[in-house]
């Protein structure tokens, strides 16, 4: 893609429009994931009121706006030029994004979705409705800042393109990662995308001096981290992360949960969850580290870690 918005000058408002079936709904979801406040199928005449109300709010509640406005608005779409002129007069920084696709692809998408095209209310064919819509939207397409043809795009391709255009640099790096430790004896995690079982590593539990410490304490951390088995494991674990993490980013994943488990969630898993979080932070990911069963394990005076 040859055009790009300076990430320091992202627009306050994005008007999302285009052909029905070209991906507007998917685009709305993507904008929400990018932190925009999204409004779908808004009549054009309401745009000034929405923008004025939004900009009058406190700064801490203010997000960028993405407004989907298209042929579903019917006759109200005819006032869009007037509403855009109002935004110009108010010095509102906005961009117009037009989503398009080849006619045969639009027909195929409508047939597969079994939904009625918005301009086929009088019983005309989908193809005829598409031609009506093209004629209606042509002036808007001509003045659009960005035109994306989604004919050959998968959802992740659209996400990547919109991220390049409308995400800040930190949002592009984007993926939010949670790394947490857990104990298998308290139940396997249900929400993790990746689960690593580290029960094969030497267990500090069997040393009475470390039994009631945790993986956050230096003696336990050092015991776990300086084992030959751990050193070998970490090398391979980090290699795996180096492969899968860019793949998750490329697929447009917004949140990732990595669970590291030992028997009780007190010693080995805690130390290695911390190490995993540190490694991912060093690679530029946004990471939080938590310990699901640590409090529960600390209350125990018996039983194996």
């Amino acid at each position: 893609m040859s055009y790009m918005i300076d990430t320091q000058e992202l627009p306050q408002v994005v008007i999302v429009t285009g052909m029905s079936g070209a991906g507007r709904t998917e685009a709305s979801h993507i904008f929400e994931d990018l932190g925009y406040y999204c409004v779908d199928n808004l009549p054009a005449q309401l745009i000034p009121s929405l923008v004025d109300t939004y900009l009058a709010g406190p700064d801490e509640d203010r997000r960028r706006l993405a407004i989907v406005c298209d042929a579903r608005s019917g006759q109200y779409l005819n006032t869009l030029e007037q509403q855009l002129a109002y935004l110009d007069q108010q010095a509102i920084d906005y961009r117009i994004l037009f989503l398009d696709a080849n006619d045969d692809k639009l027909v195929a998408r409508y047939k597969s979705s079994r939904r009625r095209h918005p301009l086929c209310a009088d019983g005309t064919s989908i193809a005829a409705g598409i031609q009506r819509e093209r004629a209606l939207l042509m002036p808007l397409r001509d003045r659009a800042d960005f035109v994306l043809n989604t004919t050959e795009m998968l959802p992740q391709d659209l996400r990547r393109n919109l991220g390049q255009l409308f995400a800040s640099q930190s949002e592009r790096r984007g993926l939010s990662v949670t790394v947490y430790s857990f104990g298998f004896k308290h139940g396997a995690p249900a929400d993790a995308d990746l689960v690593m079982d580290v029960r094969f590593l030497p267990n500090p539990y069997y040393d009475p001096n470390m039994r009631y410490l945790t993986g956050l304490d230096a003696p336990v951390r050092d015991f776990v981290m300086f084992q030959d088995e751990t050193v070998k494991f970490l090398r391979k674990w980090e290699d795996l992360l180096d492969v899968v993490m860019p793949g998750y980013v490329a697929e447009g994943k917004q949140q990732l949960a990595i669970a590291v488990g030992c028997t009780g969630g007190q010693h080995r898993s805690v130390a290695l969850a911390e190490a995993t979080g540190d490694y991912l932070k060093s690679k530029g990911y946004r990471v939080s580290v938590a310990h699901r069963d640590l409090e529960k394990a600390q209350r125990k005076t018996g039983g194996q870690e």
Side-chain angles (χ1 to χ4, degrees), residues 189-211:
D191 61 345
D193 300 288
L194 292 175
V195 179
M196 178 53 63
D197 182 352
V198 297
R199 289 176 291 183
F200 67 92
L201 295 174
N203 194 344
Y205 172 86
Y206 294 109
D207 185 331
N209 294 320
M210 292 186 285
R211 181 167 299 179

Side-chain angles (χ1 to χ4, degrees), residues 229-246:
E229 296 93 331
T230 305
V231 173
K232 293 176 183 177
F233 162 71
L234 277 177
R235 188 181 307 123
K236 299 299 184 181
W237 177 227
E238 291 170 357
D239 286 344
L240 175 63
L241 293 172
D242 286 344
V243 172
V244 301
M245 297 301 292

